Amino acid sequence: MAGEGTANGNQRKLPRFLCLHGFRTSGAILKKQLFDKWPTQVVDKLDLVFVDAPFPSQGKSEVEGIFDPPYYEWYQFNKELKEYENFDKCLEYIQECMIKHGPFDGLLGFSQGAILSGALPGLQDTGMGLTKVPKIKYLIIIGGAKMQIKSLAEKAYSSAITCPSVHFLDIIGEKDFLKPSGIKLLESYVDPVVIHHPKGHTIPRFDEKGLESMLSFIEKVQAEISTSEQV
């Protein structure tokens, strides 16, 4: 687990996000990916906490040779992405992390971590998970997708998800195998901020427009949590 700073020069509490990494990677890898790609004017405005998924990798990681092991996964699934194993244990583990390292204002997720992050507000609202922690208020979704399992999808997306969210989406689509399901995920959200990029299924760098959108989203989150602290 790794955390970043909790206050800026004005001693305001920074928005605190639990960061969920991609399939068969790690918290340390996600931290490196973000801090290598995102400018300080973004990461310095967030309090980011990185954790490893609960299960050691049960197969080859696509980042072998690029990032050092160990590698982890949040849950297991079949080739059609329609059967999950250990999903309940995954939810319990995330709740334990939120209790231990929280409270959190929101979640940041990439790939498998983004699929989870995008579903958790709805699963929490329907009582399927995260029942012992405060409501998830904000989301940063990078390379996300809608869950395909009907029993989970019915609970996760049964109602429109209203928490403010920003979604990173590959503008071309051919490079990101999750894009079709990522577009379907957007349909479950009310007024999502969408940042387009051409880099495929990865954590992208910002162009000028994307950076402006991200900073605006962070400013909104910061203003809301500062107001709530004064109440």
Side-chain angles (χ1 to χ4, degrees):
M1 188 285 254
E4 294 306 309
T6 57
N8 61 17
N10 296 324
Q11 297 302 308
R12 292 190 302 174
K13 174 182 176 292
L14 298 183
R16 189 169 176 84
F17 281 78
L18 180 64
C19 302
L20 309 183
H21 62 77
F23 184 58
R24 294 180 180 170
T25 63
S26 69
I29 291 172
L30 177 58
K31 180 179 179 180
K32 181 170 177 54
Q33 289 172 316
L34 284 175
F35 280 74
D36 282 353
K37 297 286 187 67
W38 288 7
T40 55
Q41 64 194 114
V42 171
V43 295
D44 284 355
K45 289 180 170 65
L46 299 169
D47 180 10
L48 302 174
V49 178
F50 300 84
V51 295
D52 295 326
F55 303 104
S57 174
Q58 296 189 14
K60 181 178 176 60
S61 170
E62 292 187 359
V63 302
E64 284 184 25
I66 303 172
F67 296 104
D68 292 334
Y71 311 119
Y72 302 90
E73 53 196 52
W74 294 100
Y75 53 87
Q76 295 76 46
F77 51 86
N78 67 354
K79 290 183 179 180
E80 292 76 31
L81 304 178
K82 294 186 177 181
E83 291 183 16
Y84 293 171
E85 294 181 12
N86 293 313
F87 191 76
D88 289 345
K89 292 180 180 178
C90 171
L91 295 183
E92 292 172 4
Y93 175 80
I94 292 174
Q95 179 167 262
E96 291 171 2
C97 289
M98 296 180 78
I99 292 171
K100 181 177 180 180
H101 304 299
F104 289 96
D105 298 297
L107 299 174
L108 178 154
F110 171 61
S111 195
Q112 190 182 38
I115 294 172
L116 266 173
S117 298
L120 282 171
L123 294 178
Q124 187 180 42
D125 285 344
T126 54
M128 187 171 176
L130 309 187
T131 58
K132 298 179 181 179
V133 294
K135 294 290 186 183
I136 298 166
K137 299 190 290 290
Y138 307 101
L139 291 172
I140 300 173
I141 305 293
I142 311 166
K146 200 170 186 178
M147 286 188 168
Q148 301 300 305
I149 296 180
K150 185 177 180 180
S151 60
L152 291 176
E154 287 176 346
K155 293 182 179 297
Y157 317 113
S158 57
S159 300
I161 301 172
T162 59
C163 63
S165 61
V166 57
H167 301 248
F168 289 76
L169 199 65
D170 177 37
I171 197 170
I172 299 174
E174 295 176 357
K175 298 180 181 180
D176 189 350
F177 65 98
L178 287 180
K179 182 178 180 180
S181 191
I183 293 174
K184 290 181 180 179
L185 177 65
L186 284 176
E187 296 170 356
S188 300
Y189 281 78
V190 176
D191 296 327
V193 175
V194 182
I195 296 177
H196 292 286
H197 67 91
K199 297 299 184 180
H201 191 68
T202 187
I203 294 173
R205 298 182 188 276
F206 290 98
D207 60 16
E208 185 176 348
K209 183 178 180 181
L211 180 59
E212 182 180 331
S213 296
M214 187 66 178
L215 291 175
S216 177
F217 175 80
I218 294 173
E219 287 172 8
K220 175 183 178 180
V221 173
Q222 177 71 75
E224 289 182 0
I225 66 172
S226 296
T227 299
S228 66
E229 287 176 350
Q230 297 170 7
V231 175

